[in-house]
Amino acid sequence: MFHKTKSLAHTAMALTIGAGAAHAQEAEVIHFWTSGGESAAISVIAEAFEERGGNWVDNAIAGGSAARGAAINRIIGGDPSTAALFNTSQQYHEIIGEGLLNDIDGVANRNDWDNVLPAPIVDAIKVDGKYYAAPVNIHMPLWLWYSSDALQEAGIESPPETMEEFFAALDALQEAGITPLALGGQRWQENLLFSAMMTNVGGHDLWTSVYADKDEAAINSPEFREVIETFIRLKQYVDDASPGRNWNDTTAMLISDEAGFQFMGDWAKGEFKQADQEIGVDYGCLPGLRADSPYVLGGDVFVFPRTDDPAQIEAQTMLVETITAPDVQVSFNNLKGSIPIRSDVDATALDECAALGMEILSDPSRQAPDASQMMEEYVYGSVQDIITELWNTDMSVDEAVSRFDSALRN
Amino acid sequence: MQTAQLTWHVRRNAVAYLALLPMAAIVVFAYLGTMAWSIRLSFSSSRLLPRNDFVGFAQYTELFGTSRWLTSLENFAFIAVFFLAICFVLGTLLAIFIDQNVRAEGLFRTAFLYPYAMSMVVTGLMWQWILNPDLGIERTMRDMGFSGFVLDWVVNSNTVLYAVVLATVWHGAGLVMALLLAGLRGIDTDLWKATRIDGIPAWRVYAFIILPILRPMIVTSLVLLSISIVKMYDLIVAMTNGGPGNASEVPAKFIMDNLFERANIGLATAASTTMLVTVLLIIAPVLYSQYLGKKGSSA
């Protein structure tokens, strides 16, 4: 009872609060998967956990930052949940540094995560030689989607494979009176477009040397300038009503064939599926615009707050095993639109785009970390401020370079 | 002598003071306490978690080197000046207009005050839809055949602040009207008769006699409007989310973003402390003239 009052004080938003360590294998999980497809996906994990004899206490909080804020407040307040959902990033690295998370080395080593998981994911969840988070899925945020009908109407025979072909297609679409590039003018979507230019124009090396190494020479290199110039060049292909538009309204422009292309994560597939569109017939997905385009690995992970209660630690271990089990991975990711974290699963159940993603992922040289894994949150925030200003004002390339330089190397 | 008086005073009102204690405790610990803690954190290197170190004015230096914060401050000043001025003038004119014993006065009063009953989120969302080129007036006019019609205020960096001012004025003007109308209704009719006998034109009566009498109402409405500017956050989030780019960012949104999305407590508290100091600097002269000034004149 005392536990209950205390947790209510810590998080006013948490409505379903378990009484801490009342039973063995009771796991209270804070997550932010509240939309239709998302909650269907997490219930796969919940059911699998209960089949193994656990008791899943669901604590869904709408909005990623609200859910993470609640989880962190509970951790600091000394009454943490059993597990909490974060993005595969540096969001939880500071709480690891403060010693507030339990490591899950036992399960990780038993299942040979060092070799089963892609290297960028390992880098994001392994800190000082210990595993602190269990990955659930891999989202690739930089897919290029296209409307087959719009391309056909503009006389484009096959989808572009290089940046030159991409720009030729954009011109053809513009001439045909179709919005060439669908973009929702919100900070994160503009940032996503810039990232796509980094990976497709600059390539793997520039992506990591600018964002991870924060290398002065790379930031001031002609290659990075070319990325900025290409980004600026895209402005003319976006419609006037773009600012403020949501990503799903933007995807709807492709579904109704009003626009040709959109850069968006694999979650956009859900929108096409809901509108009864068929891959390869009504729309298509391109992983990149160069043969060796990096496959950026975003996604979600569960972290396990520090506790000395053996029953809770047991529940945490069981959660990790459930989340990463091959059968759970396949059915979860099919509903979520992402791809499994491990390559040793049955890929036949996956759709065309996901299967293509799995295939690219099997080549380690094309695996790349997401930008949020290479920078602390506040640095990434200032980078996004520069990108949105670059897109919406007449900032010169020189100024952009010097702003990136001071934001990244500060 | 004075202390004796004071002790007597306290004894006499002991029960009243006792009843006030819980409230006083809440103000001191929950309100002033958290304020002091925020100021303390603004001098630390806190990012995701509060830290107890001391880094001097480093967060403030970083804050004033951040172009998004400087833009927020400029936008804040722009919105404050135009919103206050337009809202006040418009509200006063509406009040005077209704005070002319127009027909269907109740209808007008309701219509003008109605927007104030809307939440800021609804106001922002509604104006966003009205001004959105894809959905709103521009689309309607073009569908009606005016193909060259352009009304793109919310999606244009140069005009987005006008759109914000428009929405806030629509929301706030009714409040000024209601307050001033109440004041106008309280004016002695003999005053009007006297000025009519003297043959003073109506506009001069309003400008030089009536409005000075209404000073308390005017100050009240200005204070209420100013508060709504300082805390402006929900309207911006619903209407533009700070965009296009950083063109409609405001200080409150900068603080919230850094506090909750960017795990940058130090910078966020430095920004909120800056806002607190700014507000104190602005209201200090007002408070001084209201309280200390009066004491001086009555003595």
Side-chain angles (χ1 to χ4, degrees):
Chain A
M1 197 56 221
F2 172 68
H3 262 286
K4 260 188 184 159
T5 357
K6 206 166 126 203
S7 18
L8 271 172
H10 287 312
T11 151
M13 292 176 78
L15 291 173
T16 48
I17 288 168
H23 308 287
Q25 272 104 49
E26 174 163 298
E28 188 208 346
V29 182
I30 298 182
H31 65 90
F32 43 82
W33 283 330
T34 49
S35 83
E38 288 171 349
S39 64
I42 186 122
S43 57
V44 168
I45 298 178
E47 279 159 23
F49 183 68
E50 303 216 315
E51 265 169 35
R52 284 160 200 242
N55 180 18
W56 176 279
V57 181
D58 196 71
N59 188 355
I61 297 171
S65 54
R68 293 192 295 268
I72 288 169
N73 282 345
R74 294 270 302 271
I75 292 172
I76 298 173
D79 179 35
S81 59
T82 317
L85 186 64
F86 280 76
N87 295 122
T88 316
S89 66
Q90 294 199 2
Q91 281 160 356
Y92 44 88
H93 283 200
E94 196 174 327
I95 42 178
I96 296 175
E98 296 286 327
L100 294 170
L101 293 186
N102 276 345
D103 69 72
I104 48 172
D105 254 13
V107 193
N109 292 333
R110 251 199 320 280
N111 290 291
D112 195 21
W113 283 11
D114 280 336
N115 296 313
V116 176
L117 301 180
I121 300 284
V122 171
D123 288 343
I125 60 175
K126 195 175 184 180
V127 176
D128 296 330
K130 281 186 170 174
Y131 283 99
Y132 283 97
V136 204
N137 59 2
I138 293 172
H139 271 300
M140 147 66 168
L142 306 179
W143 284 92
L144 176 57
W145 305 91
Y146 61 86
S147 152
S148 310
D149 286 342
L151 260 58
Q152 205 169 19
E153 205 179 314
I156 301 156
E157 312 229 317
S158 61
E161 281 170 9
T162 63
M163 279 311 285
E164 289 76 40
E165 287 176 26
F166 179 55
F167 272 105
L170 290 175
D171 285 328
L173 284 160
Q174 196 152 47
E175 243 166 71
I178 299 166
T179 302
L181 184 63
L183 171 78
Q186 295 174 340
R187 197 181 305 271
W188 71 274
Q189 295 186 62
E190 289 157 357
N191 173 59
L192 191 150
L193 182 65
F194 188 82
S195 293
M197 292 305 106
M198 287 273 277
T199 53
N200 286 307
V201 178
H204 197 295
D205 288 344
L206 190 77
W207 176 247
T208 51
S209 54
V210 170
Y211 276 170
D213 309 338
K214 300 162 181 76
D215 176 42
E216 188 179 4
I219 298 169
N220 291 286
S221 66
E223 287 80 15
F224 189 56
R225 291 182 72 91
E226 199 192 335
V227 169
I228 297 173
E229 279 158 9
T230 318
F231 181 65
I232 293 173
R233 200 176 145 201
L234 287 174
K235 285 185 194 178
Q236 53 178 310
Y237 299 108
V238 171
D239 66 314
D240 293 338
S242 156
R245 188 164 49 212
N246 290 323
W247 72 267
N248 48 344
D249 296 332
T250 310
T251 306
M253 293 170 70
L254 266 66
I255 293 172
S256 63
D257 305 323
E258 285 170 55
F261 294 99
Q262 182 191 15
F263 282 101
M264 189 44 63
D266 37 24
W267 51 86
K269 212 160 40 190
E271 295 294 308
F272 288 106
K273 278 184 184 164
Q274 267 182 0
D276 288 330
Q277 301 249 308
E278 219 174 300
I279 296 184
V281 179
D282 303 301
Y283 71 102
C285 54
L286 302 169
L289 290 165
R290 53 195 286 163
D292 63 344
S293 66
Y295 195 82
V296 170
L297 302 173
D300 306 280
V301 297
F302 279 103
V303 300
F304 304 91
R306 168 155 304 288
T307 166
D308 295 326
D309 178 355
Q312 280 291 290
I313 293 175
E314 206 177 314
Q316 291 180 334
T317 310
M318 206 164 99
L319 265 179
V320 181
E321 275 166 352
T322 312
I323 291 163
T324 52
D327 56 326
V328 176
Q329 276 292 310
V330 171
S331 37
F332 170 85
N333 282 295
N334 259 340
L335 289 165
K336 182 76 173 68
S338 41
I339 63 174
I341 47 151
R342 47 204 290 174
S343 43
D344 56 347
V345 297
D346 178 20
T348 47
L350 299 170
D351 64 55
E352 222 172 287
C353 296
L356 180 59
M358 285 291 276
E359 189 195 319
I360 297 172
L361 199 57
S362 63
D363 176 1
S365 74
R366 291 183 69 177
Q367 301 169 353
D370 186 66
S372 64
Q373 293 156 25
M374 300 189 276
M375 286 173 274
E376 288 170 81
E377 265 180 299
Y378 71 96
V379 177
Y380 195 26
S382 2
V383 166
Q384 297 190 26
D385 283 346
I386 301 169
I387 291 167
T388 192
E389 214 176 314
L390 177 62
W391 182 260
N392 289 288
T393 64
D394 294 324
M395 193 194 289
S396 70
V397 179
D398 286 327
E399 200 197 332
V401 170
S402 82
R403 295 269 303 269
F404 272 108
D405 193 273
S406 68
L408 287 166
R409 301 197 311 114
N410 199 341
Chain B
M1 183 65 197
Q2 258 191 339
T3 39
Q5 242 174 8
L6 199 68
T7 335
W8 179 78
H9 178 78
V10 168
R11 258 190 217 150
R12 205 184 120 135
N13 296 310
V15 179
Y17 280 111
L18 203 66
L20 281 175
L21 259 180
M23 187 58 205
I26 289 173
V27 168
V28 170
F29 292 107
Y31 194 69
L32 294 177
T34 48
M35 213 187 262
W37 200 48
S38 291
I39 296 173
R40 163 69 189 90
L41 286 179
S42 75
F43 293 101
S44 73
S45 67
S46 307
R47 295 290 183 202
L48 175 68
L49 305 172
R51 282 182 209 160
N52 263 331
D53 57 354
F54 189 80
V55 294
F57 281 91
Q59 299 286 5
Y60 291 88
T61 318
E62 195 189 326
L63 182 67
F64 282 91
T66 307
S67 80
R68 181 171 157 196
W69 170 250
L70 299 176
T71 313
S72 302
L73 283 184
E74 281 169 26
N75 294 347
F76 177 67
F78 181 95
I79 295 171
V81 168
F82 283 86
F83 169 64
L84 276 182
I86 299 175
C87 226
F88 179 68
V89 171
L90 200 68
T92 311
L93 289 178
L94 287 175
I96 292 174
F97 162 69
I98 288 182
D99 197 36
Q100 307 306 307
N101 293 321
V102 290
R103 260 173 208 237
E105 184 198 305
L107 184 76
F108 283 113
R109 237 176 21 209
T110 313
F112 294 144
L113 191 58
Y114 219 89
Y116 195 71
M118 300 260 193
S119 78
M120 280 290 193
V121 172
V122 174
T123 308
L125 209 56
M126 192 190 76
W127 280 98
Q128 201 247 315
W129 286 341
I130 293 176
L131 297 173
N132 186 307
D134 250 4
L135 307 164
I137 299 177
E138 182 177 308
R139 182 40 111 39
T140 316
M141 293 300 276
R142 287 191 176 183
D143 286 350
M144 280 162 59
F146 302 94
S147 59
F149 187 85
V150 174
L151 184 69
D152 61 350
W153 282 13
V154 262
V155 297
N156 184 331
S157 325
N158 299 319
T159 51
V160 65
L161 284 184
Y162 299 124
V164 171
V165 169
L166 178 68
T168 47
V169 166
W170 178 84
H171 185 259
L175 176 75
V176 180
M177 180 214 71
L179 283 170
L180 291 195
L181 186 61
L184 286 173
R185 288 286 148 85
I187 299 250
D188 194 344
T189 42
D190 289 345
L191 192 70
W192 278 110
K193 286 177 192 154
T195 57
R196 229 161 270 152
I197 292 167
D198 285 340
I200 309 172
W203 70 269
R204 292 198 60 171
V205 182
Y206 275 117
F208 297 108
I209 299 171
I210 308 288
L211 287 185
I213 295 176
L214 295 184
R215 189 164 166 264
M217 317 285 177
I218 294 173
V219 171
T220 307
S221 59
L222 287 183
V223 167
L224 288 176
L225 294 182
S226 309
I227 291 172
S228 73
I229 301 173
V230 175
K231 66 177 191 187
M232 185 184 292
Y233 169 73
D234 32 11
L235 179 111
I236 295 289
V237 169
M239 193 169 169
T240 65
N241 207 8
N246 296 327
S248 59
E249 288 290 346
V250 287
K253 185 164 173 293
F254 182 93
I255 295 166
M256 294 294 281
D257 283 358
N258 278 289
L259 209 49
F260 295 105
E261 271 170 22
R262 298 200 171 165
N264 205 347
I265 293 176
L267 193 70
T269 48
S272 61
T273 307
T274 308
M275 283 309 287
L276 178 69
V277 170
T278 314
V279 170
L280 285 181
L281 283 179
I282 294 171
I283 62 165
V286 179
L287 289 178
Y288 182 83
S289 71
Q290 282 285 312
Y291 296 105
L292 301 176
K294 257 183 205 157
K295 229 180 233 170
S297 67
S298 66

